[in-house]
Amino acid sequence: MISAGVTKYWSLTMFLLFIFFIKSLFLIEGKPQVPCLFFFGDSLFDNGNNNNLVTLAKVDYPPYGIDYPEGPTGRFCNGRNIPDFIAEYLDFEESVPPFANATEADYLTGVNYASGGGGILDYTNYFLGQRYDLKMQIEHHAYTVSQVERILGNAHKSKELLNKCMYISNIGNNDFLDYFLEPILSPATKLYTLDQYAGVLVQAYSKQLKILYSYGARKIAVFGTAPLGCIPQVLHKYQTDGKPCVEWINKDTQLFNTRLLSLVDQLNTNMPDAQFIFINYTAISYTDIIKFALSGFKVINIACCDSKSTTGLCYRDSTPCPDRAKFSFWDNYHPTEILNMAAAKRMYNASSPLDTYPMDLQQLALK
Ligand SMILES: *[C@@H]1O[C@H](CO)[C@@H](O)[C@H](O)[C@H]1NC(C)=O
Ligand SMILES: *[C@@H]1O[C@H](CO)[C@@H](O)[C@H](O)[C@H]1NC(C)=O
Ligand SMILES: *[C@@H]1O[C@H](CO)[C@@H](O)[C@H](O)[C@H]1NC(C)=O
């Protein structure tokens, strides 16, 4: 009797252990590579933060999101943007929600602070209306940090978690686009030469990155500028001399990118417990655009949707090109989903040491 009872007890225990083992296998497999993921940036990253702002930089209407399961969400794209793909490659089950819509649980797993029109400097794109510049995005993150501390109940646990998160920032494009496209409205063109401006921007960026570090960030990726000389809005204003892009614009923004790369080195030296990386977005995106052009019957210089000449955004309810996979640009500023996917892939798993420095996102997650 006793031995039968014991056997029964043991087989039940073994059975439960087996279930636990199987379950943990699945849990381990489905686990994101970092426990939390935060995004900062401009319209290339924004996924809904501008929807409730009074601004011209807002895309909560069709045809935006035509290839996105939930339709128009505020993403400046036909489908998914780079943060969506990065979250997927880092094994997150869902995209990171916009800070504007965050719930309590979201603060622990990450939010997206990016805002269309936002720049490193507060006055960038002031003429578009409301937008969150980098400083305001970092202030929003301070709020998140306070919520994480409150939820976890102590500062030590909070710091432990925040140290393990990944922080990805893509900002600076609008500061340059103002300079190139709106020289009359841009205060910067009156104040600085382009070289001085690049220095001012990197200095302001550096200050905000140090604040981010003080909030516990230790795995930080910063993007260089997009290949701004290739976007249709720029192609409408400047000559390309037979090339696919305005080369001097791509070259001039390198004044910023090389300084940002040096900043990454400097921050890594001064903060040895942190890992900063530089993502060469111009290199990644530019080669993808050219490859795309050479792959036949592809359109790289005209937007897929009918775009307003003023804001470069699609007209509300306009009918876009039927085959989005054949266009590199969705509207006059923003790449199509297919290009976002190609770029995000190379950031996650770099195909050349020039893509990401000194490591790619996959390696950053392991740090
Ligand atoms: C955010 O919340 C608003 C309502 O406050 C809602 O209309 C919108 O769909 C939400 N967006 C996302 C991306 O969840
Ligand atoms: C980005 O990559 C290009 C090659 O495509 C290279 O010429 C440039 O120096 C790189 N920029 C930085 C800042 O590393
Ligand atoms: C990274 O990309 C290379 C091709 O560039 C591929 O051979 C390799 O399997 C990829 N690694 C991972 C872990 O995805």
Side-chain angles (χ1 to χ4, degrees):
M1 285 298 274
I2 290 167
S3 105
V6 169
T7 310
K8 227 180 193 168
Y9 170 77
W10 270 108
S11 44
L12 179 67
T13 309
M14 291 313 282
F15 178 70
L16 288 177
L17 272 175
F18 179 71
I19 294 290
F20 180 74
F21 175 69
I22 293 291
K23 235 178 126 177
S24 62
L25 264 187
F26 277 104
L27 281 178
I28 288 164
E29 217 165 56
K31 214 171 127 187
Q33 294 166 38
V34 285
C36 25
L37 180 56
F38 293 96
F39 292 102
F40 302 82
D42 53 32
S43 55
L44 287 168
F45 273 25
D46 189 353
N47 62 351
N49 286 307
N50 279 18
N51 289 354
N52 294 323
L53 299 187
V54 180
T55 178
L56 293 174
K58 173 150 74 170
V59 293
D60 55 348
Y61 58 84
Y64 286 92
I66 188 168
D67 300 311
Y68 194 81
E70 291 154 44
T73 56
R75 283 168 174 77
F76 291 72
C77 189
N78 59 306
R80 293 193 282 169
N81 61 16
I82 288 176
D84 292 322
F85 286 109
I86 289 177
E88 182 190 318
Y89 299 152
L90 290 172
D91 297 324
F92 280 75
E93 269 182 32
E94 286 173 5
S95 290
V96 172
F99 175 72
N101 274 50
T103 63
E104 181 145 293
D106 295 332
Y107 296 127
L108 298 175
T109 51
V111 292
N112 181 337
Y113 305 100
S115 169
I120 294 173
L121 301 185
D122 58 357
Y123 55 72
T124 289
N125 275 337
Y126 68 90
F127 44 86
L128 292 179
Q130 292 181 303
R131 72 254 165 254
Y132 300 117
D133 63 29
L134 180 60
K135 183 163 169 276
M136 291 165 94
Q137 293 183 29
I138 300 279
E139 282 165 11
H140 287 164
H141 185 59
Y143 176 80
T144 297
V145 170
S146 74
Q147 292 305 300
V148 172
E149 279 178 15
R150 187 182 56 73
I151 298 164
L152 296 183
N154 79 61
H156 178 73
K157 268 193 200 152
S158 160
K159 195 146 195 166
E160 228 172 38
L161 176 69
L162 292 167
N163 284 174
K164 291 186 199 140
C165 308
M166 195 184 283
Y167 303 80
I168 305 182
S169 174
N170 169 29
I171 201 143
N173 294 306
N174 287 323
D175 303 279
F176 279 103
L177 286 169
D178 269 17
Y179 201 95
F180 295 130
L181 293 177
E182 304 292 351
I184 304 203
L185 295 175
S186 163
T189 51
K190 281 132 215 139
L191 292 168
Y192 311 114
T193 64
L194 200 61
D195 188 53
Q196 288 169 336
Y197 191 41
V200 167
L201 292 173
V202 170
Q203 205 175 359
Y205 206 168
S206 167
K207 185 176 162 196
Q208 296 305 322
L209 289 173
K210 285 173 186 160
I211 296 174
L212 184 62
Y213 173 90
S214 77
Y215 291 136
R218 294 295 179 273
K219 301 178 185 206
I220 303 160
V222 295
F223 277 49
T225 52
L228 301 177
C230 304
I231 65 178
Q233 193 82 355
V234 167
L235 299 179
H236 288 166
K237 190 176 168 93
Y238 295 106
Q239 301 296 319
T240 63
D241 302 319
K243 304 248 171 60
C245 303
V246 184
E247 292 305 332
W248 66 264
I249 287 192
N250 286 346
K251 200 164 150 277
D252 279 359
T253 49
Q254 292 306 315
L255 293 169
F256 171 80
N257 294 331
T258 49
R259 281 185 175 91
L260 193 56
L261 186 77
S262 309
L263 176 65
V264 161
D265 270 336
Q266 191 195 319
L267 294 172
N268 281 332
T269 306
N270 296 344
M271 303 165 178
D273 62 339
Q275 179 68 60
F276 289 81
I277 71 167
F278 171 79
I279 305 228
N280 192 336
Y281 187 40
T282 290
I284 289 175
S285 202
Y286 182 82
T287 48
D288 283 339
I289 289 170
I290 302 302
K291 241 195 295 178
F292 200 70
L294 295 175
S295 63
F297 307 111
K298 302 287 171 67
V299 184
I300 64 162
N301 56 352
I302 299 171
C304 164
C305 78
D306 192 10
S307 308
K308 300 175 213 172
S309 62
T310 47
T311 60
L313 302 175
C314 310
Y315 283 99
R316 186 180 289 269
D317 296 323
S318 58
T319 305
C321 66
D323 195 351
R324 266 83 67 187
K326 287 196 173 141
F327 281 70
S328 58
F329 284 93
W330 162 245
D331 61 19
N332 271 358
Y333 280 112
H334 306 100
T336 45
E337 178 182 70
I338 191 167
L339 233 66
N340 284 336
M341 184 173 76
K345 259 193 191 140
R346 279 176 64 178
M347 294 165 189
Y348 177 69
N349 176 14
S351 54
S352 131
L354 285 175
D355 286 355
T356 60
Y357 171 89
M359 63 184 71
D360 58 25
L361 292 174
Q362 185 172 222
Q363 291 163 320
L364 181 63
L366 292 172
K367 268 278 165 176

